[in-house]
Amino acid sequence: MKRKKETPVNAARHERDCRICAHRDREDIEREFCEWKPVAAIAKARRIPRASLYRHVRAVGLLDKRDRNIKAALARFIERGHAVHITAAAYISAIQAYAKINA
């Protein structure tokens, strides 16, 4: 899915004012986001506003990086298939997609 073109961010201003850039767990926050951990869970665990996290990931270009890491999202979906109500077709489709990524 193509994203609409974002207006350029002033990197120096962003870094100066951003709560995530100043956060001691910045690298972990960014890694968790790119591994498709839910934004609400990241924000709650790190005690940061979701809006700050979304603003940060847009400013530093993590949305595209996360999209390229779809393998992590599929793996999480497959791992939790036993614990949530999903259709067999959805589960099999996820496994097939995961296998194609690994190939």
Side-chain angles (χ1 to χ4, degrees):
M1 174 173 75
K2 279 256 186 194
R3 297 190 192 287
K4 71 177 187 173
K5 205 161 199 174
E6 304 268 337
T7 53
V9 174
N10 179 322
R13 179 176 178 215
H14 168 78
E15 191 169 333
R16 181 188 69 231
D17 297 338
C18 178
R19 294 177 76 170
I20 311 305
C21 286
H23 201 284
R24 62 185 167 94
D25 297 329
R26 175 184 175 174
E27 289 180 15
D28 292 333
I29 292 167
E30 291 178 349
R31 179 186 43 76
E32 290 171 352
F33 178 82
C34 289
E35 291 175 353
W36 288 84
K37 184 171 183 179
V39 170
I42 298 169
K44 184 177 180 181
R46 307 294 181 173
R47 295 185 172 147
I48 53 175
R50 284 185 287 180
S52 294
L53 181 53
Y54 277 119
R55 195 168 30 257
H56 174 76
V57 300
R58 284 186 190 103
V60 298
L62 292 180
L63 290 169
D64 289 334
K65 184 176 180 180
R66 181 182 67 168
D67 286 350
R68 289 189 304 269
N69 194 16
I70 195 71
K71 183 178 174 182
L74 285 170
R76 190 164 288 128
F77 177 81
I78 293 166
E79 288 172 357
R80 294 197 172 107
H82 71 283
V84 295
H85 181 71
I86 58 172
T87 65
Y91 193 71
I92 291 169
S93 293
I95 292 170
Q96 289 173 334
Y98 187 81
K100 289 176 184 175
I101 291 171
N102 279 340

